[in-house]
Amino acid sequence: MTPMPTGEGKATAPAGSAKRAMVGRLSWGLADQAASSISNFVVGIYVARSLGLTAFGVFSLAWVTYGVVLNVSRGLATDPLVVRFSGVSDASWRGAVARSSGTALGVGAALGAACLVVGLGLGGRVGPAFACLGVMLPGLLLQDAWRFSFFAAGAGRKAFINDVVWGVALVPAMVVAAHAGNVAAFVLAWGASATVAAAYGYLQSGIRPRATEARGWLGEQRDLGYRYLVENVSLSGASQLRAYGLGAIVGVGAVGAVRGAELLLGPFLAVLMGLSLVTVPEAARVLRQAPHRLGRFCLLLGGGQASAALLWGGALLLMPDRLGEFVLGDVWHSSARLIVPVTLAVAGAGLGTGAAAGLRALGAARRSLRSQLFASACYVSGGLGGAAVAGTAGSAWGVATATVSGSAVWWLHLRSALRERHHHPIPEVRTS
């Protein structure tokens, strides 16, 4: 295998070429997120139309559970990778990727086994879906780890191709699942196609994941990894608690209605889920090359995403019912009433991710953790409190209010971190 190219645009490069290199990397990042968005959107729509509101709610519970496990993997394995091994030497990058991807694979195997046991014990409608998710978790997490690895190397094109492979593999898998006609079949189809892409990632990189070195990786990165773990799990765990709580307070159909509204904003939600693939490596490069521009970079990033989400949400309000029914089937009528609060929630989250990228690049893990814990607490209390007061719509408005408040806290912490760095410059983080 040929060596993986590492990040472009060193500090000595002319300003014009450095900007072109950044634009190129961001363009591949946007292309990759577009591919991921389309895949997630198609899966959600296909399941919603095939299974109806209640079964779609069950699938959504499996989906948010996957989100929690994914963020465990990212916090321990790949977030430290993109912070410390973006734009480093090829040898340093390859060694880190072998250990990082091995850690992701180990997390998938351990938590997948736990999910399988829980699913088998639950039974009913929910149990088989969780059991199948447990079987598929190693492939799902390894595929995500390759994406992080490629972006850390500045090779976004390979991440894009990998997501395209996943999308292509999804097509026959979804057709087979539709014939089975149950949630478990769709979970298996989704995970099996990701496993195909994970195998292709090995061919792309020529790097064998070393699960046996996971303990060493966790020890080396513990100063960042465990804080990022708590931060990430508080984010996805808040979403999971809100989904479970909403199902208990209002009913599983309410979970499907919220997920349907989120699907309508799918392009932006998918970008949010994997935003650190692009923004943290780029923010780290900006910090190394032109640290005085980091604040502006984060503001443009967050403001641009929030504005795009608001424009998309405005367009959704003009969508005729006939088109909405074609897209979501029976789920449309329940989801359409939630478009405004869900749009505001996505816009608020988009604004906050700009500040989050800056804090990650600065290695300000304490400030990042505090911001995320506050935002997650607001999310759970707003989502469940709103559900208790005003049902599904109340939950959506509670989450929107919480997300905007959380975004403000992210930016306050970034401003403080930038001031601290200006007065007390921190040494460059180690990369080997």
Side-chain angles (χ1 to χ4, degrees):
M1 294 287 179
T2 57
M4 170 67 64
T6 53
E8 311 94 322
K10 298 194 181 289
T12 57
S17 62
K19 287 182 178 179
R20 285 193 296 272
M22 177 185 291
V23 170
R25 290 190 296 267
L26 289 174
S27 297
W28 280 116
L30 291 174
D32 174 73
Q33 291 303 329
S36 177
S37 300
I38 291 171
S39 296
N40 290 335
F41 182 76
V42 169
V43 169
I45 295 302
Y46 200 68
V47 175
R49 288 180 57 83
S50 300
L51 300 180
L53 185 61
T54 301
F56 183 58
V58 174
F59 182 84
S60 298
L61 290 177
W63 185 283
V64 298
T65 302
Y66 157 71
V68 174
V69 178
L70 178 66
N71 279 304
V72 171
S73 175
R74 288 181 175 180
L76 294 176
T78 49
D79 282 345
L81 176 76
V82 296
V83 169
R84 287 184 165 150
F85 295 90
S86 293
V88 300
S89 68
D90 180 73
S92 179
W93 175 84
R94 294 180 72 84
V97 168
R99 288 173 288 154
S100 174
S101 60
T103 302
L105 195 59
V107 169
L111 296 185
C115 196
L116 174 62
V117 171
V118 171
L120 293 175
L122 283 176
R125 283 187 170 186
V126 177
F130 275 71
C132 292
L133 176 64
V135 173
M136 294 292 107
L137 277 176
L140 284 162
L141 298 191
L142 182 58
Q143 192 275 338
D144 187 72
W146 290 131
R147 296 172 69 214
F148 270 79
S149 301
F150 294 144
F151 276 108
R157 179 178 61 86
K158 293 196 172 188
F160 169 73
I161 293 173
N162 194 274
D163 266 328
V164 169
V165 169
W166 186 1
V168 171
L170 262 174
V171 175
M174 285 288 125
V175 172
V176 173
H179 285 293
N182 57 67
V183 177
F186 280 102
V187 173
L188 284 175
W190 168 52
S193 55
T195 303
V196 171
Y200 184 66
Y202 167 73
L203 296 177
Q204 287 177 293
S205 65
I207 299 173
R208 181 173 60 85
R210 298 174 185 169
T212 56
E213 297 188 17
R215 180 176 294 182
W217 173 262
L218 294 175
E220 293 171 11
Q221 310 301 329
R222 62 182 178 274
D223 56 329
L224 293 182
Y226 291 116
R227 286 196 176 103
Y228 288 159
L229 169 65
V230 176
E231 180 182 329
N232 289 356
V233 171
S234 70
L235 170 63
S236 54
S239 178
Q240 189 176 28
L241 286 174
R242 186 257 185 133
Y244 290 168
L246 182 60
I249 295 170
V250 185
V252 177
V255 180
V258 170
R259 178 60 185 157
E262 291 174 346
L263 273 176
L264 295 173
L265 285 116
F268 301 100
L269 287 173
V271 169
L272 281 177
M273 285 183 64
L275 195 61
S276 59
L277 292 171
V278 184
T279 57
V280 175
E282 290 308 319
R285 288 184 176 94
V286 171
L287 182 62
R288 289 191 181 101
Q289 298 170 10
H292 61 284
R293 295 179 181 173
L294 180 61
R296 181 184 178 189
F297 172 82
C298 295
L299 183 60
L300 290 173
L301 176 70
Q305 189 167 341
S307 299
L310 291 173
L311 288 173
W312 184 266
L316 289 176
L317 292 175
L318 303 176
M319 180 185 294
D321 286 339
R322 184 178 302 176
L323 180 57
E325 292 170 357
F326 174 78
V327 173
L328 287 179
D330 294 338
V331 178
W332 162 254
H333 296 288
S334 299
S335 299
R337 296 190 291 269
L338 308 179
I339 288 176
V340 172
V342 170
T343 297
L344 293 176
V346 173
L351 184 62
T353 53
L359 287 174
R360 288 281 176 99
L362 288 166
R366 289 185 179 181
R367 289 192 175 276
S368 181
L369 177 58
R370 291 171 189 166
S371 300
Q372 188 56 66
L373 289 176
F374 175 84
S376 297
C378 289
Y379 184 95
V380 173
S381 58
L384 298 186
V389 173
T392 308
S395 179
W397 280 106
V399 165
T401 303
T403 305
V404 173
S405 301
S407 178
V409 171
W410 276 106
W411 279 100
L412 288 174
H413 273 287
L414 177 61
R415 185 177 67 173
S416 298
L418 289 172
R419 286 179 176 175
E420 287 176 0
R421 189 181 191 281
H422 177 73
H423 294 296
H424 305 284
I426 59 176
E428 184 175 351
V429 295
R430 56 188 168 83
T431 58
S432 62

